[in-house]
Amino acid sequence: MSRDIMNTADKVMANTYKRFPIVITKGKGCNLWDSDGNKYIDFVSGIAVCNLGHAHPKVAEALSKQAGILLHVSNLYYTEPQTELAATLTEKSFADRVFFCNSGAEANEAAIKLARKHSKDKGENGRYRIVSMEQSFHGRTMATLSATGQEKIRKGFEPILEGFDYIPFNDIDALRDAIDASTCAVLLEPIQGEGGVRCPDPEYLKSVRRLCNEKGVLLIFDEIQTGMGRTGKLFAYEHFGVEPDIMTLAKALANGLPIGAMLAKEDVAEAFTPGAHASTFGGTPIITAASLQVVKILTEENLIHHCAKIGGYFKERLSWLKSRHDSIEDVRGMGLLLGMMLNTEGEPVVKSCMEKGFLINCIQGNILRFVPPLIIEEEDIDALVACLDHVLV
Ligand SMILES: *Cc1c(COP(=O)(O)O)cnc(C)c1O
């Protein structure tokens, strides 16, 4: 049966994904099962999406309840779930207003459009350029791949959208040089996810904020991967004592349902007036009702504190592995967004772990990324660490 599914998928699906040869059929908490009945401990979480774990009963309940009431109307009308979700997100963040969409890329599209429009509305006609970081990842639409500082993501799709300048992450002098009279915003991930789990130097984000204020440009944080408790705070910016003007969220915002959000301060958000931007499904009742429940669970059930604590434990265990294996170059990250850089290819390690019942992920060829559900416990971490100890040279 699973062979059939894989063979058919390989024929009829666009060939955009290199997949592992298993068919996943169900999940519960931190576990997944394939069609042959094999069980896995999930250290991928759909790439930092299922922060509450799989098949969470309260999310399932919120979904089925809303499904029987109202799936969708248009943004021509007010609805309660999206209003409540926006109110909750603004209450728990720096932001005053929220625009809902359906993915991370769309949230960044909205941020890019808002930054340009804000600048135009202020009469700064020449200002439209956005400075972003090398090794960043902001999405796969034309504007967001143009914002992404990785050649391999842009390759083949040129000409890319004009108006993006890439500089090295953690280099404040490079940022000072890059901002000129045509720059309207700086866009960055507080911790680079796809780029290799790269953390900012201690004072870097504060310096970035100061520089943006000095030069009168907006600061946009892409917290699509780092947000929703992943790093041990609800939003990663809380670790660094800085607030952005605009922030984008997606991935874990509804624990696996498609949603994106762009949040902004009032004086920036006001550039979006009726007709300036829109999305058919953005903030639709069924998704926002589920997301509301997700945010409630995240913030009311001590999960973020657990994430910080267990993340510290996990990182300590990975550092212990580093002391035992010459193939490990570096262990880094915050909370449960952890990376382990190898001096060899990561893919064989991922495959060996999968055969032993652990799903992990490899980025940039040689960096293992660990992003389990935030509900993970020590015994699952210990099991993975024992497996890695066995698999690594
Ligand atoms: C995943 C991700 C995106 C893109 O999100 P999609 O929902 O795949 O469009 C953008 N930025 C960051 C930091 C991400 O991790």
Side-chain angles (χ1 to χ4, degrees):
M1 195 267 285
S2 49
R3 257 293 127 216
D4 285 351
I5 291 174
M6 291 189 272
N7 287 341
T8 306
D10 289 346
K11 266 194 229 111
V12 299
M13 301 274 306
N15 194 23
T16 48
Y17 306 104
K18 189 165 154 274
R19 297 184 206 256
F20 294 99
I22 54 174
V23 179
I24 307 236
T25 49
K26 63 172 184 176
K28 185 74 197 164
C30 295
N31 293 132
L32 288 169
W33 285 265
D34 71 18
S35 52
D36 296 327
N38 300 306
K39 179 176 147 183
Y40 303 89
I41 305 177
D42 183 11
F43 285 85
V44 179
S45 308
I47 311 188
V49 167
C50 304
N51 282 11
L52 305 180
H54 301 283
H56 195 290
K58 287 185 185 165
V59 179
E61 191 195 319
L63 257 179
S64 60
K65 192 170 153 222
Q66 186 62 41
I69 299 173
L70 183 69
L71 288 183
H72 175 81
V73 285
S74 156
N75 282 310
L76 290 168
Y77 314 103
Y78 295 95
T79 66
E80 190 176 334
Q82 76 166 217
T83 308
E84 267 194 62
L85 179 60
T88 306
L89 290 174
T90 54
E91 185 211 315
K92 295 188 183 303
S93 74
F94 72 97
D96 302 307
R97 288 182 186 271
V98 183
F99 176 83
F100 288 117
C101 48
N102 314 286
S103 68
E106 272 181 79
N108 284 334
E109 285 274 347
I112 292 164
K113 285 180 72 174
L114 182 66
R116 284 190 172 186
K117 180 93 170 19
H118 170 75
S119 171
K120 287 267 189 318
D121 286 359
K122 283 205 312 184
E124 296 170 340
N125 264 329
R127 286 196 181 223
Y128 68 96
R129 301 192 71 82
I130 293 177
V131 178
S132 68
M133 303 294 145
E134 289 169 7
Q135 298 297 109
S136 61
F137 182 75
H138 299 297
R140 302 285 195 152
T141 61
M142 280 309 299
T144 57
L145 73 80
S146 302
T148 292
Q150 298 188 59
E151 176 68 31
K152 66 174 191 222
I153 305 279
R154 303 191 298 261
K155 200 165 180 279
F157 301 108
E158 300 87 353
I160 62 167
L161 188 69
E162 212 258 321
F164 294 91
D165 303 299
Y166 322 107
I167 58 161
F169 188 57
N170 273 330
D171 185 340
I172 196 72
D173 294 326
L175 182 59
R176 192 174 294 110
D177 290 344
I179 296 175
D180 67 19
S182 63
T183 307
C184 71
V186 174
L187 166 63
L188 59 83
E189 302 152 84
I191 298 172
Q192 291 191 329
E194 306 304 308
V197 190
R198 303 200 306 156
C199 294
D201 294 336
E203 292 300 306
Y204 176 65
L205 293 178
K206 268 194 188 144
S207 306
V208 171
R209 178 72 269 184
R210 215 173 302 124
L211 197 54
C212 286
N213 290 351
E214 235 171 72
K215 307 254 186 180
V217 306
L218 298 176
L219 178 56
I220 308 170
F221 281 170
D222 176 343
E223 291 232 25
I224 289 163
Q225 190 156 152
T226 55
M228 308 323 290
R230 174 58 55 189
T231 66
K233 301 261 189 202
L234 185 56
F235 306 114
Y237 73 77
E238 296 170 38
H239 290 288
F240 304 106
V242 297
E243 287 182 352
D245 302 293
I246 301 174
M247 172 172 74
T248 51
L249 299 173
K251 287 199 162 83
L253 184 52
N255 206 50
L257 294 151
I259 184 171
M262 193 258 330
L263 290 74
K265 288 259 196 217
E266 180 67 43
D267 60 327
V268 179
E270 68 186 11
F272 269 2
T273 48
H277 196 46
S279 165
T280 295
F281 290 126
T284 199
I286 184 73
I287 308 287
T288 44
S291 175
L292 194 57
Q293 188 59 244
V294 170
V295 178
K296 211 171 128 121
I297 296 165
L298 263 180
T299 53
E300 288 175 10
E301 294 188 6
N302 212 27
L303 262 179
I304 298 175
H305 177 71
H306 175 75
C307 167
K309 213 170 114 224
I310 199 92
Y313 174 78
F314 196 175
K315 196 174 177 185
E316 209 181 283
R317 298 311 294 152
L318 294 176
S319 300
W320 175 78
L321 280 176
K322 179 171 179 286
S323 73
R324 292 168 55 84
H325 298 273
D326 291 340
S327 57
I328 305 175
E329 294 269 300
D330 190 24
V331 168
R332 58 203 188 206
M334 293 178 84
L336 286 169
L337 174 54
L338 296 173
M340 193 161 87
M341 189 165 104
L342 306 177
N343 56 23
T344 59
E345 288 283 299
E347 217 51 40
V349 180
V350 173
K351 284 203 179 111
S352 298
C353 286
M354 201 175 90
E355 281 158 22
K356 292 177 163 53
F358 301 91
L359 301 186
I360 63 171
N361 169 238
C362 175
I363 44 181
Q364 305 293 332
N366 67 330
I367 298 163
L368 302 180
R369 176 173 51 180
F370 308 101
V371 281
L374 308 189
I375 56 172
I376 195 99
E377 296 288 355
E378 280 186 16
E379 80 178 303
D380 284 341
I381 290 169
D382 291 344
L384 173 70
V385 168
C387 169
L388 286 168
D389 194 30
H390 186 74
V391 166
L392 287 166
V393 285

